[in-house]
Every structure is written in structure tokens, then in C-alpha cells.
Amino acid sequence: MLKKLAAAFGLVMVCVSAWALTDKQIAEVESRIQPAGKVCLQGDNSCGAAVASVGGAPKSGEEVYKASCQGCHASGAGGAPKLGDAADWAKRAEKGVDTLHKHAIEGFTDIGMMPAKGLCMSCSDEEVMAAVDYILENSK
């Protein structure tokens, strides 16, 4: 009976000691079970460090062209007029720059397939227009 009582007492002591953690041990456990990340919105000061804002300086026409337009306009994929093809771009330029800007922003499917904004959904209308202007300037 004494052995059983000693075993029970030992078991109770082990259980109690597991709950009697030091502050340092508690901090270590808490650091291990924290979420992997945290979402912080602009203006939310509860995250500590400053939150980077989305945006920055507008991209140049050349940057937009290289990032989003050249996939089709360098190779002529899907009937896209190639950068530097003066004859092909002259026909389009006859419609006016405003029309070309509109087609680049909204998309145009009468001839080939020009998706809206060339699929650059992060580009502003002004950046898309700058890309059109870049293409026209380099296709004379």
C-alpha cells in the first residue's frame, strides 16, 4: 500500500511541476506557439514597426512594356503588332492616340486579342498609356 501511495504522490508531484513553470519557461512556450505571421494594415499601429504602403513611383512606359507588353508585342503573338514595326503601328496610329490608349486600357478584340491593360492589373491607366506611348515612339 505504501508503494501505491508513493507512486500516486510522485505522479501528483510530476503533474504539479508541469503546471508550475517559471516566467522564462512560459515566455519560451508562448514564443513557440505564436502564429507564423500577422496581417497589419496601413494606419494600424498595434503591429509595432511601420507598415510599408502599397504603390510608389509610377512605372515608366518602358518598365510596363518590359514587364507586361513584350510577351506579345516582341514576338507578334496573337496578331499583336511588334515593337519597331513602323508600318503595322502606323495603321493603328491613324485611329489616334486616344483610341489606342482606350484599347490598351479596356481591351480590344476586333483584330487579334488585346486583353484589358495587357493583363497588368496592378498598372494604373496612366502607366498603360505610357506603355502605349513608349511603343509608338519606338515603332516609327
Side-chain angles (χ1 to χ4, degrees):
M1 174 84 172
L2 190 57
K3 285 185 178 181
K4 288 184 182 181
L5 186 58
F9 180 74
L11 184 59
V12 168
M13 293 306 293
V14 168
C15 292
V16 169
S17 69
W19 291 105
L21 299 174
T22 66
D23 289 340
K24 181 181 177 191
Q25 290 170 322
I26 291 171
E28 288 173 353
V29 169
E30 288 174 347
S31 71
R32 286 193 303 267
I33 63 172
Q34 286 200 9
K38 191 176 196 181
V39 176
C40 295
L41 302 176
Q42 188 172 3
D44 181 359
N45 296 329
S46 68
C47 295
V51 179
S53 62
V54 177
K59 294 177 276 214
S60 71
E62 182 178 11
E63 289 172 318
V64 174
Y65 171 79
K66 287 180 177 179
S68 298
C69 307
Q70 75 177 357
C72 295
H73 289 285
S75 66
K82 293 181 185 179
L83 176 74
D85 187 336
D88 213 2
W89 280 104
K91 291 186 279 185
R92 287 168 171 80
E94 289 174 2
K95 298 176 182 178
V97 173
D98 290 339
T99 300
L100 292 176
H101 287 163
K102 181 178 189 244
H103 289 169
I105 293 167
E106 297 175 2
F108 188 71
T109 58
D110 286 355
I111 302 171
M113 171 62 180
M114 172 61 198
K117 292 189 174 187
L119 300 178
C120 182
M121 296 304 128
S122 65
C123 291
S124 68
D125 289 355
E126 291 76 19
E127 290 171 329
V128 173
M129 290 188 289
V132 170
D133 296 344
Y134 170 81
I135 292 170
L136 289 173
E137 184 63 34
N138 289 280
S139 299
K140 292 181 178 180

